[in-house]
Amino acid sequence: QVQLVQSGGGLVQAGGSLRLSCAASGRTSTTMGWFRQAPGKEREFVAAINWGRTTAYTDSVQGRFTISRDNAKNTADLQMNSLKPEDTAVYYCASGRVNLATAPLAYDYWGQGTQVTVSS
C-alpha cells in the first residue's frame, strides 16, 4: 500500500510561481505523476517522472513547469512558473507502475488533491 500526501498550492497572481510537493510512503513507484482537474472538466495529465528521472509534460506546461523527484526521500515536486489563469485547478499527484504514463487509469495511488488558483 502506498500513501501520497500533498503540500503546497494556493492563490497566486498570473505570472507568479508555486511549488507542489508529494511525499509517498510505502514502496517506491516506477512513475510519479501530476494531474489536474478544473471544475466541469476531466482530470488531465500535467507531468510525469520515472525512476531514472526521465520526464514528460503536457504541451501547455512545457517550459513553465518542472517535475523533480528524490528517490531517496520518495518525494516528487512540481515547480510551476509563469502561471496562467487557465492553470487554475485541483492538482493531484499519483504513483504507478507504467513508465511515464499519461492516462489517469494507469496510476495506482493518488494524493488528496490541492487547489491552485491563478488570478488575472
Side-chain angles (χ1 to χ4, degrees):
Q1 187 75 11
V2 175
Q3 289 187 325
L4 304 178
V5 178
Q6 299 177 218
S7 59
L11 173 64
V12 67
Q13 289 188 333
S17 298
L18 285 172
R19 189 177 186 89
L20 304 180
S21 295
C22 178
S25 63
R27 60 179 174 84
T28 304
S29 63
T30 298
T31 298
M32 298 290 289
W34 285 95
F35 289 77
R36 64 187 179 188
Q37 188 166 17
K41 295 187 177 182
E42 293 186 353
R43 190 168 298 188
E44 66 170 353
F45 171 77
V46 175
I49 185 168
N50 66 13
W51 176 266
R53 297 188 178 86
T54 300
T55 59
Y57 298 92
T58 192
D59 288 346
S60 62
V61 308
Q62 184 76 45
R64 300 188 297 123
F65 290 12
T66 302
I67 188 171
S68 60
R69 178 172 184 169
D70 186 328
N71 290 332
K73 296 181 180 180
N74 212 1
T75 59
D77 291 350
L78 185 68
Q79 176 67 41
M80 304 183 292
N81 298 329
S82 302
L83 282 160
K84 304 175 181 180
E86 51 264 43
D87 294 318
T88 295
V90 176
Y91 283 70
Y92 297 90
C93 71
S95 69
R97 293 164 289 174
V98 179
N99 187 39
L100 297 177
T102 60
L105 287 176
Y107 288 80
D108 302 309
Y109 302 99
W110 292 84
Q112 79 275 20
T114 186
Q115 179 69 46
V116 170
T117 302
V118 184
S119 63
S120 58

